[in-house]
Amino acid sequence: MGLLENFLGKKFPTPVLKPMAPFFIAGGIIFYGVNSFKGLLVNFLSQAPSHRLFMSIENLKVNDPFADDVGDTQPKNYVHIRIQQRNGRKTLTTVQGLSKDYNPKALLKAFKKEYACNGTIIQDKDMGEVIQLQGDHRTKVMDFLTDKDKDKMGRYALQKDHIKIHGF
C-alpha cells in the first residue's frame, strides 16, 4: 500500500494517483519554469546597472523588405479600391482617393450604367468622398479607370501603378 492510500484509508478505495498524474506532472513543469525565470530575474537584477542593457537587435534597424513604400519611385496618392462584406453573399466595392480633378458624381453615374448596379457617394471626414457600389466590381473599376478609350476615361485615365486593389 502506498503512502497516499495509507493516508486516505480503506473508506476511500478509488485510485487517486493514476488519474491525477498528468496534473502533478504539469504542476511540476510550471513550478520548474517559474523557478528558472526567477533565477534569470535574480541574475539580471544582481548585475550592475550599466550591464543591464536589454538586447540591441541590429535587424530591427533594417528597412522592411515587404513595406509598400520603397522611396520616391512609387506614387504617394493611390486610388484604393476595396471590397467590404455586408451580409451573406452581399458585398460593397468602395473607391477612394480620387483627386479633385475627377467628378465623383459623373464617375458614379458611369459605373452604375456600365455594371448595372446601384451605388452612392459617402462623405467621410478622413477619406473624403468615397464611391460605394453594390457587388464585387474591383477589377472592372480598375479596368474602367485605366482605360484610355474615349467613351470611358480618355485622356484622364489613371496608370495601373497608381491604383491599389484590396480585399480577399
Side-chain angles (χ1 to χ4, degrees), residues 75 77-81 95-103 107 111 131 138-149 152-165:
N77 297 327
Y78 290 103
V79 174
H80 296 277
I81 303 173
V95 181
Q96 63 190 33
L98 289 168
S99 68
K100 302 292 182 188
D101 299 336
Y102 298 100
N103 184 359
L107 280 174
F111 289 151
I131 299 174
R138 290 174 291 174
T139 56
K140 296 178 200 172
V141 168
M142 187 186 83
D143 292 340
F144 187 94
L145 291 174
T146 58
D147 193 2
K148 296 185 190 273
D149 188 19
K152 296 190 179 174
M153 293 297 287
R155 62 184 179 137
Y156 298 107
L158 296 170
Q159 296 176 1
K160 285 193 177 189
D161 59 347
H162 290 154
I163 298 175
K164 282 198 172 195
I165 296 180

Side-chain angles (χ1 to χ4, degrees), residues 56-115:
S56 173
I57 300 175
E58 296 297 324
N59 290 340
L60 294 177
K61 296 179 182 176
V62 178
N63 289 341
D64 185 14
F66 299 106
D68 287 339
D69 189 16
V70 188
D72 293 334
T73 59
Q74 294 182 354
K76 303 247 188 252
N77 297 327
Y78 290 103
V79 174
H80 296 277
I81 303 173
R82 293 186 169 89
I83 188 169
Q84 294 177 352
Q85 189 76 31
R86 279 182 38 214
N87 51 2
R89 292 173 44 188
K90 308 288 185 185
T91 57
L92 284 176
T93 302
T94 61
V95 181
Q96 63 190 33
L98 289 168
S99 68
K100 302 292 182 188
D101 299 336
Y102 298 100
N103 184 359
K105 290 182 181 179
L107 280 174
L108 177 64
K109 185 176 180 182
F111 289 151
K112 287 167 66 171
K113 185 175 182 180
E114 182 81 16
Y115 309 131

Side-chain angles (χ1 to χ4, degrees), residues 120-131:
T120 185
I121 297 175
I122 303 295
Q123 293 290 336
D124 188 34
K125 56 184 167 189
D126 295 333
M127 306 296 177
E129 292 181 326
V130 178
I131 299 174

